[in-house]
Amino acid sequence: MVNLMRAAIVKVFSTKHSLTLPASALAYIEQVLLENEIPEDEWVVGLEFWAREYLKGEDSSSLVSLPALKRAYESLQLGTTDDTAQADPSEVNVESHFSVIDSFDMPPVHFDAVRGGFTTSRPKPSIAGQASSRSAFLRERWGIIKEIILRNENFTPPVIGGHDRSNYLKLTSTRNLLGRAGQLFLLFGMLSRDPEGRLCLEDGEGRVVLDMEDAVPGEGLFTEGCMVLIEGEYTIDETIRVLAMGHPPSEKRDVARGLHGHVDFLGGGAMSLKEEQKYQPSILANTQVSFVVLSDVWLDHPRTLPALRRMLEGYAEAVEYRPMAFVFCGNFSQKGWEGEGGLKRYTNGFNALTDLLLEFPLLHSTHFIFVPGPLDPWSSTTLPRPAIPSVFASRLTQRLPKARFVSNPCRLRYFGMELVICREDLMGKMVRNLVGVKKEGQADMKRYLVQTVLDQTHLSPLPISIRPTLWEYDHALRLYPMPSALVLADKYERYELTYEGCHVFNPGRFVGSGGEGGGEFEWSMYYPATGRSERSALTLDQ
């Protein structure tokens, strides 16, 4: 009985929630279960409540401490899991709970596969990067997703033996395939190419060639660089005849925050899940708070500034519903900054925008955030990419104290919510590099893209030969824990949808549909209180 009890404790605390139990904590849990004569069939349920209450604590860590474990147990006994001393939501200063995070200011939080948790490295990341970082960031990405898979209920073996024990899914490493031809296996790894150009699956222990002739891809977009689950038969040719291929399961934000609430991913201080829940009434009470997001704001287009003027006039008149922030995403020039007169044209565009914004003093308390696009100076091909140089931004930032030029991607933090903003023509890159996509019926490419990015927990699930990334800043592209909302600003058509609790939207081109002959200028507004976005548009008179 003691062995079964210990197995149940390890399954809930260690396997599912990635917590390390010292001998004293393990003995205390066993003592509580025995003293209260908890029935065997209620162990897992009770332990689940206990583990979640422990993770809500402000002093929770991956190494379980006995005092914190006892406090969580006492809270469950007294029914005081919720803090009754809540501040009046209407009296909270929302400005003090809003911040903008540049990718290059985020702490270098790395995943430790041995501990099953995250640690912060002391050396500051370098843009050049050490040679070891070239493979380390891919191993981290693989390790994070593998931990998510192993916590999934379909991959967790039952505590008590029985017929269900043989039904759970088991992962096999490439190292364990040799000599087992003719058998079916479930593998997890990264799609890549070997030196001969053949499609392979790489994991932390080796590589195996894939035969995709009979493969049936699941939902999503599959490209080189994606971490995938593959079911197939190992052949005598030492290849895998792929039968099915799918993306790994995702993990909702609340689950990840419950596991890693003590980790400071953004650099503004760690916030436990319990603290995050305390702010929920304030978020819901401030329904007027909104963020305006625009993409492809071509300042050298003749109709852009008149359209912006009309938009700003409307928001300036809305006294109670002025946005908290305007997010302008590039490209900020239709013709680019390179070539004859390019720099002057680019500078004149920002000077004209500065003069326009100064005409609306009522909006000077609003944050203006500028995110560079692929063609903005200095046209870097890597992610994350630094902010637009100060030579173009200084005049605007000097006159508008709340204007800020940040990296691509960047993040907005509002209470416990996290909004990730990325300006990247991702749909086109993914489609051009597909190695597999579901062919049955009409493919919903927008949903497939969103599902792929969130299941991969990364903004650029492509090989670095196609989309170069700064190795030691790869943590800034990570989407784990899953954000509250994600802006995938793309030249692709506008969309909005919610996947696993994360609201994802593309505001569409601001100028794209409002050309020389008129048309609509569109953008999006995001409301934290509802967690949803809505389309906004205007038409200029001829």
Side-chain angles (χ1 to χ4, degrees), residues 40-59:
E40 187 175 319
D41 56 351
E42 295 180 7
W43 285 348
V44 173
V45 177
L47 290 168
E48 181 69 28
F49 278 111
W50 199 347
R52 289 180 181 176
E53 185 61 27
Y54 168 79
L55 289 167
K56 289 179 183 177
E58 299 179 5
D59 54 352

Side-chain angles (χ1 to χ4, degrees), residues 115-149:
R115 298 181 181 179
F118 290 90
T119 59
T120 303
S121 62
R122 292 183 179 179
K124 188 177 180 180
S126 169
I127 292 179
Q130 300 180 5
S132 59
S133 303
R134 168 64 179 80
S135 59
F137 81 91
L138 290 174
R139 285 182 174 272
E140 277 188 34
R141 199 186 304 176
W142 175 78
I144 291 171
I145 299 177
K146 187 176 181 182
E147 284 289 318
I148 294 173
I149 293 173

Side-chain angles (χ1 to χ4, degrees), residues 250-253 256 454 479-484 499-502:
S250 58
E251 189 170 77
K252 291 189 175 182
R253 177 174 175 81
L454 292 180
L479 295 177
Y480 186 84
M482 188 181 289
S484 308
Y499 179 76
E500 293 293 332
C502 177

Side-chain angles (χ1 to χ4, degrees), residues 4 54 171-172 174 186 221 241 286 298 327 383 467-468 488:
L4 289 175
Y54 168 79
L171 292 179
T172 303
T174 54
L186 181 62
L221 307 178
R241 184 171 67 89
N286 290 280
W298 296 334
V327 181
L383 281 179
R467 193 63 179 102
L488 290 177

Side-chain angles (χ1 to χ4, degrees), residues 251-271:
E251 189 170 77
K252 291 189 175 182
R253 177 174 175 81
D254 287 347
V255 176
R257 294 283 293 113
L259 293 169
H260 306 292
H262 59 286
V263 180
D264 181 14
F265 289 100
L266 301 182
M271 181 182 293

Side-chain angles (χ1 to χ4, degrees), residues 48-346:
E48 181 69 28
F49 278 111
W50 199 347
R52 289 180 181 176
E53 185 61 27
Y54 168 79
L55 289 167
K56 289 179 183 177
E58 299 179 5
D59 54 352
S60 63
S61 66
S62 57
L63 180 62
V64 177
S65 67
L66 188 57
L69 192 66
K70 289 181 178 180
R71 280 194 294 273
Y73 175 59
E74 291 169 359
S75 296
L76 289 173
Q77 280 187 309
L78 299 172
T80 58
T81 56
D82 294 320
D83 192 351
T84 56
Q86 294 283 351
D88 186 350
S90 61
E91 296 179 358
V92 176
N93 180 13
V94 295
E95 279 287 338
S96 63
H97 294 278
F98 175 80
S99 58
V100 184
I101 297 102
D102 190 287
S103 292
F104 295 93
D105 295 332
M106 292 176 63
V109 177
H110 298 292
F111 181 74
D112 188 332
V114 177
R115 298 181 181 179
F118 290 90
T119 59
T120 303
S121 62
R122 292 183 179 179
K124 188 177 180 180
S126 169
I127 292 179
Q130 300 180 5
S132 59
S133 303
R134 168 64 179 80
S135 59
F137 81 91
L138 290 174
R139 285 182 174 272
E140 277 188 34
R141 199 186 304 176
W142 175 78
I144 291 171
I145 299 177
K146 187 176 181 182
E147 284 289 318
I148 294 173
I149 293 173
L150 296 178
R151 281 196 294 268
N152 187 274
E153 58 183 6
N154 296 314
F155 291 84
T156 306
V159 177
I160 304 173
H163 67 279
D164 289 336
R165 190 170 182 83
S166 60
N167 293 335
Y168 79 97
L169 300 174
K170 311 176 188 67
L171 292 179
T172 303
S173 70
T174 54
R175 185 178 60 181
N176 295 331
L177 295 175
L178 293 177
R180 303 172 72 179
Q183 298 183 38
L184 292 176
F185 296 99
L186 181 62
L187 306 173
F188 169 66
M190 183 182 74
L191 293 175
S192 63
R193 299 277 178 181
D194 67 2
E196 288 77 32
R198 297 175 297 178
L199 188 65
C200 297
L201 184 79
E202 288 188 44
D203 60 14
E205 299 175 342
R207 172 195 294 165
V208 64
V209 177
L210 302 177
D211 176 7
M212 301 293 290
E213 185 176 351
D214 301 320
V216 179
E219 293 187 348
L221 307 178
F222 298 89
T223 66
E224 294 176 46
C226 281
M227 306 289 175
V228 297
L229 287 166
I230 281 182
E231 183 180 11
E233 178 187 358
Y234 189 62
T235 67
I236 57 174
D237 298 324
E238 297 185 354
T239 65
I240 288 287
R241 184 171 67 89
V242 180
L243 302 176
M245 178 171 64
H247 285 290
S250 58
E251 189 170 77
K252 291 189 175 182
R253 177 174 175 81
D254 287 347
V255 176
R257 294 283 293 113
L259 293 169
H260 306 292
H262 59 286
V263 180
D264 181 14
F265 289 100
L266 301 182
M271 181 182 293
S272 69
L273 187 61
K274 194 169 185 178
E275 289 178 300
E276 192 172 303
Q277 291 171 347
K278 287 180 184 178
Y279 291 127
Q280 195 62 28
S282 298
I283 295 173
L284 297 176
N286 290 280
T287 56
Q288 80 284 359
V289 173
S290 64
F291 305 137
V292 175
V293 185
L294 306 89
S295 182
D296 278 335
V297 186
W298 296 334
L299 298 177
D300 57 352
H301 192 285
R303 297 175 64 83
T304 299
L305 291 178
L308 285 175
R309 181 185 300 276
R310 178 77 62 82
M311 181 192 75
L312 294 171
E313 286 173 351
Y315 286 125
E317 294 171 0
V319 179
E320 295 182 1
Y321 292 94
R322 286 185 193 130
M324 174 174 275
F326 286 91
V327 181
F328 294 86
C329 298
N331 300 309
F332 291 103
S333 175
Q334 183 181 13
K335 301 175 183 177
W337 62 274
E338 298 170 313
E340 185 178 356
L343 284 176
K344 184 177 181 180
R345 185 174 60 249
Y346 198 86

